[in-house]
Amino acid sequence: MSPRIRGLLAFRAWLQSRPLAADALLAVGLLLVGLPQLFLDDVGTGGLESRFRSPDVPGGVLVAVIALALAFRRRAPLPVLLFVVAGGAVLSALRYPPSVPDVVAFLVAVYSVAAHRGLAQSALGGLLACTYFVVMLLLLPVSTSPMVFLTDCALVIGVWMLGRNLRLRRAYFAELESRAARLERARGTDARAARIEERSRIARELHDVVAHHVSVMTVQAGAARRIIDRDAGSARDAMSTIEEVGRTALSEMRRIVGVLRTERDMDRAGGELAPQPGLGDLGELLDHVRETGLSVQLWIEGEARTPSPGVDVAAFRLIQEALTNTLKHAGAQARAWVRLYYTDDHLTVEIEDDGPGTATIMAGDEARPGHGLVGMYERVALYGGELRIGPRVGGGFGVRARFPLEA
């Protein structure tokens, strides 16, 4: 970009930030163009010398005052229009001929009141301008043809409509900018809410993974400690199970935390995130639980249907958390049952055990629900499901959740 163009753009920006200076420059430019023409025109030809006064210094001063009033056209458009109309009436009363500065000043004042004021003031100004203009045309000491009369009136009305349309257009663009700003603020709020929800989801996933696998490892380690002296082979099997469960826990934790990695980190690693577990992985989960000594049975009723991905993960995590609670509070000597009921629209998941430690499940610190139960409620509510948790008739503990197949 050339220095000249940059200078013009800078000058334009300066004028836009200082409307009073821009309007004053317009008024001065109008005088520089119009005043010489006012004194150079020969009104003595054509027999008009008896109808108009010849231009003189008082007339030129009055025209200059009328034109300079345009410096305030955006700050006070209606008073400026009234001043220009009054000045034009004085010029006509003193029999000065119409000139470029006062005619252009009148049209600019009409445009300004329509472009910078509301409908009430702009309509009042337009009515006043049209009335004044019609009266001045009728009182001119020269004959005016009907076509010229209609054309001049149409010019005044057109200038007013131009100012009005530009005001409406500015208001429209201002509303668009305001709406865009509101949408940007709403997008920022949604982004913050999404980050909070994502952190909650990751916290739930980490809790489920850590609680389940650490519980299995704790049970296996306790069993190995008790039998290591009399049955070294079984103790080694238990230790192998602990190793396998630990590796599985680390793998799932890497997968969950991996969602926080950037795309650049993923490309550098050359890998992709593994899919979330679902009901299809239920057999592997139950095998891990059975290795701790907990007897778990699975029943599936109804025609198995594929739930939505979110419901699939939520149902799996619910079963995992419930069995983890059974291990922690009822012990490996208890029995557990997992039932899946499929209907056309819903999936019901039930997990029950016959352990004696049901009271400790419902209470955390200060008798408040533990994080695991809170996570259960959050998962089920997230997908529009219903959850019931409590002691089981005949002893033990039960968890029952009902999910819509389509979340």
Side-chain angles (χ1 to χ4, degrees):
M1 185 180 298
S2 65
R4 181 178 179 182
I5 296 178
R6 284 199 300 268
L8 290 176
L9 292 178
F11 181 67
R12 179 184 178 185
W14 185 85
L15 288 179
Q16 289 178 346
S17 63
R18 295 168 176 82
L20 184 61
D23 293 338
L25 189 62
L26 171 65
V28 172
L30 180 60
L31 288 179
L32 292 178
V33 173
L35 279 181
Q37 183 184 8
L38 174 65
F39 288 98
L40 293 177
D41 280 345
D42 185 7
V43 297
T45 60
L48 298 179
E49 64 279 1
S50 61
R51 304 180 185 181
F52 289 112
R53 290 176 57 176
S54 298
D56 51 18
V57 174
V61 171
L62 187 56
V63 170
V65 171
I66 293 174
L68 289 176
L70 294 180
F72 304 95
R73 69 180 187 89
R74 275 185 274 192
R75 180 173 295 182
L78 188 58
V80 167
L81 176 62
L82 294 175
F83 183 83
V84 171
V85 167
V90 171
L91 287 173
S92 179
L94 296 177
R95 295 178 49 243
Y96 284 109
S99 62
V100 171
D102 60 276
V103 172
V104 173
F106 169 74
L107 294 177
V108 172
V110 172
Y111 164 82
S112 300
V113 76
H116 299 287
R117 284 298 178 264
L119 180 60
Q121 289 194 32
S122 63
L124 177 62
L127 181 61
L128 173 65
C130 289
T131 303
Y132 162 78
F133 193 73
V134 169
V135 171
M136 288 298 102
L137 286 179
L138 294 177
L139 294 180
L140 278 177
V142 294
S143 60
T144 304
S145 66
M147 183 59 65
V148 173
F149 180 82
L150 293 177
T151 303
D152 291 344
C153 291
L155 175 63
V156 176
I157 296 174
V159 168
W160 183 88
M161 292 183 62
L162 175 63
R164 189 65 192 165
N165 288 335
L166 289 179
R167 175 178 174 82
L168 295 177
R169 188 176 181 85
R170 283 197 302 268
Y172 172 73
F173 282 116
E175 175 61 25
L176 288 181
E177 292 177 357
S178 175
R179 185 179 303 175
R182 292 196 301 270
L183 289 176
E184 188 66 27
R185 289 193 296 269
R187 188 180 298 113
T189 302
D190 293 342
R192 287 191 296 272
R195 287 195 296 270
I196 294 173
E197 173 61 26
E198 183 65 13
R199 285 195 293 266
S200 299
R201 186 189 69 81
I202 292 173
R204 289 194 300 266
E205 294 289 333
L206 284 174
H207 173 272
D208 293 344
V209 169
V210 173
H212 171 72
H213 290 91
V214 170
S215 296
V216 173
M217 293 166 65
T218 301
V219 173
Q220 291 289 349
R225 178 180 55 81
R226 287 192 298 270
I227 65 175
I228 190 169
D229 293 331
R230 64 176 183 272
D231 192 348
S234 297
R236 281 194 297 270
D237 292 340
M239 299 300 288
S240 298
T241 301
I242 293 173
E243 181 183 5
E244 180 184 352
V245 172
R247 293 182 184 277
T248 302
L250 288 175
S251 177
E252 287 203 39
M253 289 176 64
R254 290 193 188 101
R255 174 186 57 77
I256 295 171
V257 179
V259 300
L260 301 177
R261 299 167 65 186
T262 62
E263 294 182 1
R264 181 179 61 183
D265 294 333
M266 292 298 299
D267 294 338
R268 186 184 301 120
E272 295 182 355
L273 297 177
Q276 289 272 56
L279 294 177
D281 303 302
L282 191 56
E284 183 179 354
L285 172 65
L286 298 184
D287 290 340
H288 282 163
V289 174
R290 292 187 184 107
E291 289 176 358
T292 66
L294 180 66
S295 175
V296 184
Q297 296 181 358
L298 173 66
W299 284 277
I300 300 178
E301 299 183 11
E303 182 181 354
R305 301 175 182 273
T306 302
S308 63
V311 171
D312 197 24
V313 176
F316 177 86
R317 292 301 189 193
L318 181 74
I319 297 171
Q320 185 183 53
E321 177 65 23
L323 293 177
T324 300
N325 287 336
T326 299
L327 278 174
K328 290 194 298 183
H329 302 287
Q333 70 278 5
R335 293 181 300 170
W337 300 269
V338 178
R339 299 182 181 89
L340 303 179
Y341 300 95
Y342 287 94
T343 63
D344 292 339
D345 301 320
H346 293 85
L347 166 65
T348 301
V349 179
E350 289 186 356
I351 308 97
E352 296 180 334
D353 65 65
D354 61 355
T358 59
T360 59
I361 300 179
M362 293 298 295
D365 295 338
E366 301 180 359
R368 294 180 181 178
H371 295 293
L373 298 185
V374 173
M376 287 185 183
Y377 281 109
E378 289 178 348
R379 284 186 182 278
V380 176
L382 183 62
Y383 297 101
E386 303 171 357
L387 178 66
R388 288 190 297 175
I389 300 176
R392 175 173 166 265
V393 177
F397 199 79
V399 176
R400 187 178 188 274
R402 185 170 181 262
F403 294 96
L405 289 177
E406 293 295 331

